[in-house]
Amino acid sequence: MSIWEYANPRRFMGWSAPLVPLFSALAALLIALGLVWGFFFTPEDYRMGSTVKIIYIHVPSAMMAINIWVMMLVASLIWLVRRHHVSALAAKAAAPIGVVMTLIALITGAIWGQPMWGTWWAWDPRLTSFLILFLFYLGYMALWAAIEDPDTAADLTGMLCLVGSVFAVLSRYAVNFWNQGLHQGATLSLDAEENISDVFWLPLLVCMAGFGVLFAALVLLRTRTEIRLRRLHVLEARDRTGRKGSGEG
Amino acid sequence: MMPDLGKYGAEVLSAYGATIALLAVLVWASWVRARRVRAALEEAEARRKDAEG
């Protein structure tokens, strides 16, 4: 069977049904474990004090904010090239999750920045590109809501997603492009010399996995809802046409 | 049980509070909408079956 057949709405509803409760339970477990571990059982950092505990929510949410946009980009490209409706609906379903993740990253970053940098906000490359990414998410959702024809909405939001991807990439690599601004480099790195201590990164890794699985659970749940909503609109349209036809006849 | 957060207690707790509240709203809104749409679709399909039957 071709991989594209899994994107058939009926088939998608079949295979995704058992995964939603499974991923939900796994996400709850991982997030609870990671946050309890990070909050209660990790030491203070010698420079940041107890504010280091904010990384367990800030880093996973920032990571997801960027990765969700990348997922939306891939889904939009599949829609634009192959016209698979489920991929367009999955991109639409992911956007509100991305908005919340970006908002969490911005809020927790500001709360951390106030005592560490002495300011809630700075027009730093990474912070600014994250704010623009947040606005792109809002614009993307507004565009879906503003266009009545779902295929036209999927086309236009797909194009917007391509443009917004520049800022998703900038958000990720802004600190590497410009050697200025307040934001430090990546918290996790494959280079062992630059990485944070094990005592911090192990619970952080659990939190990142938890946020990732939570996204998987929510995007499946929300895509299933979008598929049902599409079917509902079709039935309502048929009802209206039938009533009009019988009235005229 | 509560760790000593020192002088940054308010910042750490407010960051965790805001995150948990936002995630809870997201999960709750997604779940409520899923239930509402599912119920509406079942009703519409039942109506359609009645009309055909």
Side-chain angles (χ1 to χ4, degrees):
Chain A
M1 189 173 74
S2 157
I3 191 170
W4 300 112
E5 287 179 39
Y6 289 101
N8 171 290
R10 193 179 293 272
R11 213 175 270 274
F12 176 85
M13 294 301 275
W15 67 255
S16 63
L19 291 183
V20 174
L22 186 72
F23 284 170
S24 302
L26 188 61
L29 186 74
L30 286 171
I31 290 175
L33 176 69
L35 291 186
V36 168
W37 187 354
F39 187 85
F40 291 101
F41 302 106
T42 57
E44 289 188 4
D45 179 71
Y46 73 99
R47 279 176 304 179
M48 292 189 256
S50 63
T51 61
V52 72
K53 293 177 190 295
I54 295 177
I55 66 166
Y56 305 116
I57 45 181
H58 177 73
V59 173
S61 57
M63 175 195 79
M64 290 313 299
I66 298 168
N67 290 349
I68 291 171
W69 192 275
V70 173
M71 173 262 164
M72 287 164 55
L73 170 67
V74 172
S76 298
L77 284 173
I78 292 172
W79 161 256
L80 290 170
V81 175
R82 297 194 65 111
R83 315 304 281 181
H84 276 287
H85 285 91
V86 171
S87 62
L89 294 178
K92 183 186 180 189
I97 313 169
V99 166
V100 172
M101 292 296 174
T102 315
L103 191 58
I104 291 173
L106 287 169
I107 291 173
T108 54
I111 293 172
W112 182 87
Q114 214 290 325
M116 291 298 111
W117 297 337
T119 180
W120 299 98
W121 181 261
W123 294 103
D124 158 283
R126 180 169 277 190
L127 272 65
T128 307
S129 55
F130 244 85
L131 180 64
I132 295 172
L133 181 64
F134 177 67
L135 296 175
F136 260 97
Y137 269 120
L138 294 181
Y140 179 91
M141 288 165 59
L143 195 55
W144 261 108
I147 300 168
E148 202 171 331
D149 178 57
D151 285 0
T152 309
D155 285 341
L156 294 178
T157 53
M159 295 309 293
L160 181 68
C161 200
L162 289 176
V163 178
S165 299
V166 174
F167 290 95
V169 172
L170 273 181
S171 305
R172 174 68 184 82
Y173 295 106
V175 286
N176 303 353
F177 292 155
W178 294 285
N179 286 325
Q180 57 181 15
L182 290 170
H183 203 288
Q184 69 273 36
T187 305
L188 291 176
S189 162
L190 292 175
D191 181 355
E193 285 183 11
E194 288 181 13
N195 224 339
I196 59 169
S197 160
D198 281 3
V199 75
F200 298 120
W201 87 259
L202 284 175
L204 176 58
L205 214 58
V206 176
C207 286
M208 287 164 74
F211 274 60
V213 180
L214 175 67
F215 168 68
L218 285 175
V219 82
L220 286 178
L221 176 70
R222 296 182 68 93
T223 306
R224 289 168 61 80
T225 303
E226 292 298 334
I227 291 171
R228 287 191 172 118
L229 199 59
R230 183 74 68 98
R231 168 88 182 139
L232 180 64
H233 288 160
V234 169
L235 290 180
E236 284 173 348
R238 276 186 201 161
D239 273 0
R240 275 196 300 274
T241 315
R243 273 203 299 273
K244 204 188 267 182
S246 60
E248 283 168 1
Chain B
M1 187 62 195
M2 185 73 181
D4 178 19
L5 299 172
K7 59 181 175 177
Y8 302 124
E11 283 85 353
V12 176
L13 290 175
S14 57
Y16 272 75
T19 301
I20 290 168
L22 282 168
L23 287 181
V25 168
L26 174 67
V27 170
W28 177 81
S30 303
W31 188 68
V32 166
R33 186 162 177 263
R35 274 182 58 127
R36 197 174 294 157
V37 169
R38 186 181 184 155
L41 179 60
E42 281 170 0
E43 202 181 301
E45 280 181 337
R47 249 196 336 264
R48 187 173 162 74
K49 262 186 194 159
D50 286 348
E52 283 173 357

